Amino acid sequence: MIASQFEFLKQYLKANSGLVLSNEKQYLVESRLLPVARRHGLASLGDLIQAMQRPGARQIATDVVEAMTTNESFFFRDATPFKHFREVMLPAMLKARADRRAVRIWCAAASTGQEPYSLAICLKEEAQKIGGFRFEIIGTDLSGEVLDKARGGIYSQFEVQRGLPIQMLLKYFTQKGDLWQINPELRSMVQWRKLNLLESFSSLGTFDIVFCRNVLIYFDQPTKVDVLQRVSRQMAGDGYLVLGAAETVVGLTDAFRPVPEHRGLYQTTAGASTAGLTRSRFTVAAG
C-alpha cells in the first residue's frame, strides 16, 4: 500500500465513520484489512484500496469501515460505570420516573453486545426493587456484523470469562458445546439497530441514560463536539451520560456537567444541580 492509498483510506474512514487514523496505525490497518482483502479475493492491501475506489464497490468499502471500527468489548468492562448505574442512575430514575414508570437507555457503539447485556443483568438482579417499571435498552453500532453477533448473544469461553462473575454466567447463560448463549429473557430486553454516529439519530427518540463509552477517543475535536451536542438533544433534562475513562465533556460542550466524585458520569446541564446526591443499597456483584 503506497502513501497515496493510505492517505485515501485515512480520509475515507474519517468521512464515513469519524475514525481518525494516524500514520503510526499502519500495523492496525494490516491486521484488520488483510482478512477483508482475502475475503474479496484480493492479493494485497493496495488492491483492496484500489477496489474501494471503483464504481459499485460499496460492499467492499462497507466491509473496510466495519473492520476498522470494530472495537473490543467485554462484560462489565471497567466496573465503575456499572457501579454508578446501580448506585446513582437507577435510584435517581426510579424516583424521577415514578409517574410514567419507564426508563430508556441507549448504548451507543455497543459492538458485540456485552455492555447492553451487562445492564440487562443488573436490572434482572434488581428485579424486586424496580418492579412495575419498564426498561428499554437500545444497542447501536456501525457494524452489521457485530450486531448480528449481539442479537444471537453467543460468546466463547474466553469472552464470558472476561469480567463476568461465574455465578452470573451460570444464572443467565446456557452452555452450547464450547460456547455460551445468554438466555432468551435477557436477549429480549435489548433492541439492536445499525447506526452511524456521524449521521442523524433523532429517530431513536429521547433517552434517560446514554452509555457512549470508548468511542469519542477515535474522533477529532470537531466531531466530538458535534456528537456530544446531538446526543444531548436526544436526552431528558435530567438524563445521565456515561463516557469512557479516557473521555470527557470538559472543554467540548456545556450541555453536560460532571457528576461530582463519580468518574466518567455526567448529567445534562438542566438536571446537574441534583446529580450524584442520591445513593442506594443496590449491591450487584459486577466483576
Side-chain angles (χ1 to χ4, degrees):
M1 183 171 55
I2 61 178
S4 60
Q5 291 174 332
F6 186 67
E7 186 61 30
F8 167 81
L9 179 63
K10 286 167 57 179
Q11 295 301 321
Y12 190 90
L13 289 172
K14 185 177 185 301
N16 289 275
S17 72
L19 176 65
V20 176
L21 190 65
S22 65
N23 292 329
E24 293 75 26
K25 292 294 180 68
Q26 291 204 38
Y27 72 92
L28 182 65
V29 172
E30 293 179 2
S31 64
R32 296 270 180 105
L33 295 189
L34 277 175
V36 177
R38 295 190 189 102
R39 192 161 68 242
H40 286 277
L42 301 168
S44 67
L45 291 183
D47 291 341
L48 180 66
I49 303 305
Q50 286 184 333
M52 287 177 63
Q53 301 175 66
R54 296 175 190 146
R58 184 171 183 177
Q59 186 58 55
I60 292 178
T62 297
D63 290 349
V64 166
V65 171
E66 291 193 1
M68 290 302 301
T69 55
T70 298
N71 298 309
E72 183 179 60
S73 181
F74 51 92
F75 290 97
F76 296 103
R77 181 178 183 179
D78 183 3
T80 299
F82 300 97
K83 183 174 185 287
H84 294 342
F85 180 67
R86 300 188 308 271
E87 296 185 352
V88 179
M89 290 177 267
L90 265 181
M93 287 296 126
L94 292 177
K95 181 178 180 180
R97 304 296 183 266
D99 290 337
R100 63 182 174 96
R101 304 182 76 78
V103 177
R104 300 190 77 230
I105 302 171
W106 175 22
C107 291
S111 190
T112 45
Q114 286 93 324
E115 181 179 82
Y117 285 139
S118 295
L119 294 174
I121 290 172
C122 286
L123 293 174
K124 290 300 293 182
E125 290 288 292
E126 298 300 337
Q128 291 184 345
K129 297 175 182 177
I130 63 176
F133 268 74
R134 180 174 60 85
F135 283 83
E136 182 181 3
I137 304 173
I138 308 292
T140 67
D141 200 273
L142 173 65
S143 170
E145 183 177 351
V146 300
L147 288 175
D148 287 342
K149 176 169 180 174
R151 287 188 187 95
I154 299 176
Y155 302 96
S156 67
Q157 184 72 40
F158 175 73
E159 288 172 317
V160 297
Q161 285 177 332
R162 302 185 70 191
L164 186 67
I166 184 64
Q167 68 270 24
M168 290 186 177
L169 173 62
L170 298 176
K171 186 175 181 179
Y172 295 113
F173 288 73
T174 301
Q175 190 167 13
K176 295 179 176 293
D178 294 333
L179 302 174
W180 293 83
Q181 184 171 34
I182 197 161
N183 294 342
E185 187 177 7
L186 271 293
R187 296 204 306 275
S188 68
M189 293 175 65
V190 185
Q191 302 174 45
W192 305 99
R193 300 184 189 177
K194 187 172 182 178
L195 179 74
N196 188 334
L197 287 175
L198 298 190
E199 300 171 358
S200 173
F201 39 76
S202 59
S203 62
L204 294 178
T206 302
F207 292 94
D208 303 293
I209 297 171
V210 174
F211 278 67
C212 187
R213 300 196 299 147
N214 306 310
V215 60
L216 295 181
I217 54 175
Y218 297 103
F219 296 161
D220 61 15
Q221 201 85 338
T223 305
K224 291 177 183 178
V225 171
D226 174 61
V227 170
L228 285 170
Q229 286 293 113
R230 289 188 294 117
V231 167
S232 72
R233 293 196 287 270
Q234 299 299 127
M235 296 183 66
D238 57 350
Y240 288 95
L241 171 68
V242 185
L243 298 181
E247 299 167 327
T248 183
V249 302
V250 177
L252 297 173
T253 176
D254 59 2
F256 300 95
R257 294 179 185 173
V259 176
E261 300 180 1
H262 293 84
R263 175 176 60 85
L265 182 60
Y266 304 86
Q267 194 174 33
T268 49
T269 305
S273 61
T274 59
L277 299 181
T278 305
R279 296 180 66 86
S280 82
R281 296 181 180 177
F282 288 10
T283 54
V284 177

